[in-house]
């Protein structure tokens, strides 16, 4: 229960704490153990516990690990370098799981969204966003979020539980399944389609952003363990340069994020005055803007070649004036930050207390930042027809009841 201890340590007075999370290994009704999300050494331990001698356990774990994370195998019968007698021994004791899919949606612009469910029945989401030169998977770290940013729909959800490493890395595995991107391709759950190939190795999924549901630095251990699996050269082998972790500003965990995970950092700044940031990003009352920017300037690995992204949601008449833009520039220069700014048009949800800034306002804001020599692109909303924007997850699913979804699924099958 390490995850529980971590979040409890960092609880914010007046906010809900995550409910206890499953251990890294969730017990299954059939008594078998799910290997998804486990590092090689842990797999070897489990094999030894199940009766293999130390040498065998080590060898088998190496083989199984390769099949799991490099080849995307979910069936021990596929593991051709494991003997025909060993395969059923493994199948009796272990499984290789995947997150359960409740609903998969495909936008007209190519964006895909999956509503997933944990084994204990909690919904969470992931989104895949294809672009001209890359394909980005937006991954969730928690079910819900304890932080209650006022413009964020995830923050309004009551139930919060940390996702396990398996549930986090499982999102990446599932995306590779769906895109048919394992070596030798597994097209089993993908609706086959023509999409351009972005890279020499033909993969569509090139980048990962921890920008789905939840605050990744409030589930640090599990996020770190999952991303280690994603980055491991013998497994999924995604470069840390292609992974970005977004935080609302959990200052005490930022240095460890740089040291122990080493991925790119994005910071949800969203306001430049204490008054406004206290309101819209309430964690600001605990870790203020100056503390946050100091932690950014100390972030291990940040440089002009690897800039920190400052996310800024454009809220009409709240944080979008020219004066706000000038103050943003002043702050970033004062801390001498290798920064780029990502302007995000507010994505409204039913009952949201804000409106998106006008396009003219956004342009003016962007120009001021840009003229100061800081890149300030406006993020184009993607997958609007399926409510898929990052940070704006769960909306459409909540509008529909389970019964409605079942009816739709039944209709789709006929
Ligand atoms: N909890 C982390 C990561 C998840 S949110 C964080 O806050 O950084 C990913 C991004 O989407 C954050 O910058 C978040 O502020 C932004 N976001 C959330 N709700 C949004 C909305 N309704 N419209 C636009 N951006 C939103
Ligand atoms: Fe949580 Fe991020 Fe949403 Fe804030 S913006 S409530 S930190 S998910």
């Amino acid at each position: 229960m390490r995850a529980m201890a971590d979040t409890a340590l960092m609880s914010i007075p007046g906010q809900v704490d995550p409910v206890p999370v499953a251990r890294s290994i969730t017990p299954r009704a059939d008594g078998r153990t799910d290997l998804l999300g486990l590092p090689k050494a842990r797999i070897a331990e489990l094999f030894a516990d199940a009766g293999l001698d130390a040498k065998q356990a080590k060898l088998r774990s190496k083989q199984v690990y390769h099949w799991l994370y490099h080849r995307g195998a979910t069936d021990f019968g596929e593991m051709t370098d494991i003997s025909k007698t060993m395969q059923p021994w493994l199948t009796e004791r272990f499984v290789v799981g995947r997150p359960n899919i409740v609903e998969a949606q495909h936008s007209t612009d190519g964006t895909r969204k999956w509503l997933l469910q944990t084994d204990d029945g909690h919904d969470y989401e992931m989104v895949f966003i294809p672009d001209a030169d890359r394909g980005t998977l937006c991954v969730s770290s928690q079910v819900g979020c304890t932080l209650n940013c006022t413009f964020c729909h995830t923050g309004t959800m009551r139930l919060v539980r940390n996702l396990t490493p398996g549930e986090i890395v499982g999102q990446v595995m599932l995306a590779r399944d769906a895109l048919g991107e394992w070596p030798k391709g597994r097209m089993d759950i993908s609706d086959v389609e023509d999409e351009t190939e972005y890279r020499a190795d033909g993969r569509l999924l090139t980048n990962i952003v921890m920008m789905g549901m939840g605050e990744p630095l409030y589930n640090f251990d599990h996020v770190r363990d999952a991303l280690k699996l994603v980055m491991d050269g013998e497994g999924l082998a995604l470069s840390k340069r292609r992974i970005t972790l977004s935080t609302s500003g959990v200052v005490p965990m930022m240095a460890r994020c740089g040291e122990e995970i080493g991925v790119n950092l994005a910071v949800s700044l969203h306001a430049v005055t204490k008054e406004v940031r206290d309101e819209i990003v309430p964690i600001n009352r605990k870790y203020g803007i100056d503390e946050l920017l100091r932690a950014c300037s100390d972030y291990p690995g940040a440089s002009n070649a690897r800039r920190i992204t400052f996310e800024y949601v454009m809220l009409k008449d709240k944080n979008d004036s020219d004066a706000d833009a000038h103050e943003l520039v002043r702050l970033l220069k004062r801390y001498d930050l290798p920064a780029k700014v990502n302007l995000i048009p507010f994505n409204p949800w039913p009952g949201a207390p804000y409106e998106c800034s006008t396009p003219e306002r956004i342009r003016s804001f962007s120009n001021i930042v840009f003229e100061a020599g800081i890149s300030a692109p406006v993020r184009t909303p993607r997958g609007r027809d399926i409510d898929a924007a990052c940070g704006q997850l769960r909306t459409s699913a909540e509008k529909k009841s389970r019964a409605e979804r079942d009816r739709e699924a039944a209709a789709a099958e006929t």
Side-chain angles (χ1 to χ4, degrees):
M1 295 273 197
R2 278 193 310 176
M4 197 39 200
D6 274 348
T7 34
L9 260 179
M10 292 188 293
S11 69
I12 294 183
Q15 312 273 350
V16 272
D17 281 334
V19 299
V21 193
R23 299 134 265 211
S24 67
I25 299 175
T26 314
R28 288 168 46 95
D30 65 7
R32 295 188 291 173
T33 303
D34 190 350
L35 299 179
L36 182 69
L38 302 182
K40 204 183 298 158
R42 185 74 183 109
I43 295 176
E45 261 173 43
L46 290 170
F47 288 179
D49 290 350
L52 297 187
D53 68 46
K55 205 169 145 233
Q56 271 284 320
K58 201 167 167 214
L59 172 72
R60 295 303 176 202
S61 69
K62 199 169 163 43
Q63 289 171 313
V64 168
Y65 183 90
H66 178 84
W67 281 103
L68 251 64
Y69 295 112
H70 188 75
R71 307 287 287 268
T74 50
D75 179 351
F76 296 105
E78 286 174 60
M79 306 182 180
T80 47
D81 56 355
I82 294 178
S83 72
K84 286 265 182 283
T85 47
M86 190 71 202
Q87 288 173 357
W89 184 89
L90 288 166
T91 308
E92 261 168 45
R93 291 162 179 81
F94 303 99
V95 291
V96 182
R98 288 289 189 266
N100 306 307
I101 301 176
V102 178
E103 190 176 4
Q105 288 176 282
H106 209 145
S107 161
T108 47
D109 69 8
T111 304
R112 292 164 170 231
K113 182 172 83 167
W114 289 264
L115 177 65
L116 307 174
Q117 195 172 68
T118 62
D119 285 334
D120 55 345
H122 303 310
D123 290 352
Y124 61 111
E125 292 199 353
M126 70 171 190
V127 176
F128 177 70
I129 306 158
D131 265 310
D133 60 345
R134 65 174 71 184
T136 306
L137 187 70
C138 181
V139 170
S140 293
S141 56
Q142 297 181 308
V143 177
C145 184
T146 52
L147 290 175
N148 308 111
C149 301
T150 46
F151 56 87
C152 174
H153 193 241
T154 304
T156 65
M157 290 171 48
R158 296 231 2 247
L159 186 103
V160 183
R161 125 145 152 51
N162 285 334
L163 292 175
T164 64
E167 289 159 350
I168 297 168
V169 74
Q171 297 170 60
V172 183
M173 315 276 281
L174 196 66
R176 278 218 175 153
D177 291 347
L179 297 167
E181 299 208 307
W182 299 105
K184 286 219 232 127
R186 296 175 68 236
M187 303 295 286
D188 48 359
I189 62 165
S190 132
D191 29 336
V192 182
E193 65 194 294
D194 261 291
E195 274 178 292
T196 37
E197 298 190 340
Y198 296 134
R199 287 204 326 193
D201 67 3
R203 291 225 165 105
L204 295 168
L205 200 177
T206 59
N207 292 62
I208 289 179
V209 292
M210 297 300 302
M211 292 188 187
M213 288 165 58
E215 168 49 58
L217 295 188
Y218 267 7
N219 185 14
F220 183 82
D221 288 6
H222 289 179
V223 167
R224 175 198 55 210
D225 294 352
L227 290 180
K228 290 238 177 267
L229 291 169
V230 172
M231 294 186 287
D232 184 355
E234 288 176 37
L236 289 159
L238 223 96
S239 157
K240 63 179 183 180
R241 291 170 197 281
R242 292 184 172 272
I243 303 175
T244 301
L245 182 148
S246 175
T247 180
S248 56
V250 185
V251 169
M253 300 308 285
M254 284 169 58
R256 281 187 67 192
C257 175
E259 282 153 16
E260 296 177 37
I261 315 179
V263 292
N264 304 321
L265 184 69
V267 172
S268 293
L269 190 62
H270 301 319
V272 290
T273 62
K274 175 168 167 52
E275 191 201 349
V276 177
R277 198 163 190 270
D278 273 358
E279 176 192 330
I280 68 177
V281 187
I283 195 179
N284 194 64
R285 295 176 208 155
K286 189 157 184 169
Y287 311 114
I289 294 176
D290 286 297
E291 226 181 317
L292 174 59
L293 295 180
R294 234 177 292 128
C296 288
S297 65
D298 291 341
Y299 187 71
S303 66
N304 281 333
R306 280 185 87 193
R307 292 171 185 276
I308 296 174
T309 304
F310 289 89
E311 292 157 286
Y312 200 98
V313 64
M314 299 300 297
L315 304 173
K316 189 174 181 190
D317 299 332
K318 181 49 77 178
N319 64 355
D320 63 350
S321 70
D322 285 352
D324 289 320
H326 287 295
E327 177 61 8
L328 176 60
V329 168
R330 191 189 69 81
L331 283 171
L332 297 178
K333 299 231 154 167
R334 175 158 151 227
Y335 287 91
D336 198 19
L337 288 162
K340 55 186 175 197
V341 172
N342 204 347
L343 298 176
I344 316 173
F346 171 62
N347 197 5
W349 35 276
Y354 304 104
E355 280 175 66
C356 184
S357 309
T358 62
E360 300 74 47
R361 194 80 302 281
I362 298 178
R363 210 169 310 127
S364 169
F365 195 105
S366 167
N367 285 343
I368 291 169
V369 180
F370 185 76
E371 273 157 26
I374 301 167
S375 134
V378 180
R379 194 199 278 175
T380 6
R382 298 291 303 272
R384 276 268 159 110
D385 52 333
I386 56 168
D387 276 321
C390 272
Q392 179 44 46
L393 303 179
R394 199 79 189 288
T395 315
S396 63
E398 273 188 354
K399 276 187 293 206
K400 288 186 202 161
S401 67
R402 175 57 47 87
E404 273 177 284
R405 289 204 297 260
D406 288 348
R407 267 200 302 280
E408 280 179 10
E413 274 167 23
T414 51

